[in-house]
Amino acid sequence: AMGVYSLRISVDYLEQTFGRNMNSMAGVMVNELDQAIEHKIEQLQQFTYSASVRKYMQDSNDRFAAMENHHEFVQSIEDKWPELSEKENDFTYLLLNNDLALELDQRFLTFYSREQGRNVFLEVFVTNAYGANIAQTGLTEDYFQADEEWWVQCMENGRYVGGVSFDPGVDSYGIVVAVRMDGQGGRPLGVIKAFLSASWLMREAQF
C-alpha cells in the first residue's frame, strides 16, 4: 500500500512536470510502475540473500559494536564528509572500491548500462545497522543515514518506496527504494538503497 501511495504522488508530480496528458494515463501508470518497481525491489532483496553480502554486513556491525564510542566516530566522519567527498582519499576510495561496492556496481549499474544499453539503477549503496555507509557506487550527500526518514521507515517496515525526487549527485530525477537486510533471528544487518531512473520508469509505463 505504501508503494502504491508513493507512486500516486509520483504520477501527480510527473503530471506537473511533463504535462497534463499524464492525467489520462495515471491509472494505468500506477499499476505498471508499481510492478516495475516491485521487480527491482525483489532484485535488491535477492542480492541481500548472498552469504558474502551478509558476512560483509555482519563484519561491519561487529567492528562498530567493538568501538568505544561509535557515535563519535560517525560524527567525526560526517563533519568531514563535504571535504572527503570532494577529493580522492583513502576513506572514500575504500567505500567505492571494496568488494561489496564493486559487486553493487557490477550487478546494478554496469549490467544495465553496458549489456542492455540503459540506465535503471542510477545509484546503489549499503549501510550497516548503525546507519553508516559501508559500500556505495557513487559519493553520497551524507555518510550517516540513520537520521534520514527513508532509512528510519525502511528499518521499521522492511522496505521503503519514495516519490519522484531530484538527486543532484546523479543529476537526475528518480525514485528512492530501500530494503532492510535481516540476519539470523530477523535481527537487522543494515539497509540497501537504490535510486531508480525516472526516465526508465516512464519507458516501463509506456509514457
Side-chain angles (χ1 to χ4, degrees):
M2 179 175 62
V4 173
Y5 174 75
S6 297
L7 289 172
R8 291 189 184 280
I9 295 176
S10 301
V11 169
D12 291 341
Y13 184 91
L14 289 170
E15 177 186 328
Q16 296 171 15
T17 306
F18 297 105
R20 291 292 175 180
N21 61 320
M22 290 285 281
N23 185 50
S24 62
M25 301 177 64
V28 174
M29 286 188 65
V30 166
N31 291 331
E32 293 184 352
L33 287 173
D34 194 39
Q35 292 176 13
I37 290 175
E38 183 62 31
H39 179 63
K40 297 310 170 193
I41 290 175
E42 290 174 358
Q43 286 185 298
L44 292 173
Q45 287 176 324
Q46 287 294 324
F47 182 79
T48 69
Y49 297 152
S50 165
S52 61
V53 171
R54 288 170 177 266
K55 184 179 186 305
Y56 202 97
M57 299 292 298
Q58 188 59 60
D59 288 347
S60 175
N61 289 329
D62 290 344
R63 288 194 296 271
F64 268 64
M67 291 181 184
E68 184 175 344
N69 192 326
H70 67 269
H71 295 290
E72 288 186 1
F73 170 76
V74 168
Q75 192 59 53
S76 68
I77 300 298
E78 186 75 355
D79 290 343
K80 295 184 292 185
W81 191 250
E83 177 184 350
L84 289 173
S85 61
E86 288 181 357
K87 58 184 179 181
E88 288 189 12
N89 58 82
D90 291 342
F91 188 81
T92 55
Y93 180 87
L94 181 59
L95 289 175
L96 292 165
N97 293 278
N98 60 51
D99 290 343
L100 181 55
L102 295 177
E103 190 171 356
L104 289 172
D105 185 88
Q106 180 63 36
R107 179 78 64 88
F108 297 108
L109 273 66
T110 301
F111 173 78
Y112 287 101
S113 63
R114 291 186 181 177
E115 299 190 23
Q116 298 190 13
R118 56 180 178 168
N119 294 317
V120 178
F121 294 88
L122 300 181
E123 177 186 66
V124 186
F125 68 88
V126 174
T127 80
N128 61 20
Y130 297 84
N133 289 7
I134 65 169
Q136 50 199 71
T137 59
L139 290 173
T140 55
E141 186 175 352
D142 301 297
Y143 168 68
F144 183 64
Q145 311 298 330
D147 57 352
E148 300 287 342
E149 184 63 24
W150 66 265
W151 195 92
V152 173
Q153 289 193 26
C154 185
M155 287 291 280
E156 290 179 352
N157 302 315
R159 61 163 60 186
Y160 173 84
V161 180
V164 171
S165 61
F166 181 79
D167 186 334
V170 294
D171 193 30
S172 295
Y173 286 93
I175 288 178
V176 170
V177 296
V179 176
R180 187 184 67 214
M181 303 183 193
D182 293 332
Q184 292 184 346
R187 185 174 183 178
L189 293 174
V191 170
I192 181 170
K193 176 191 176 184
F195 192 66
L196 301 176
S197 165
S199 296
W200 167 75
L201 287 167
M202 286 187 288
R203 288 195 299 269
E204 289 295 299
Q206 299 180 345
F207 171 64

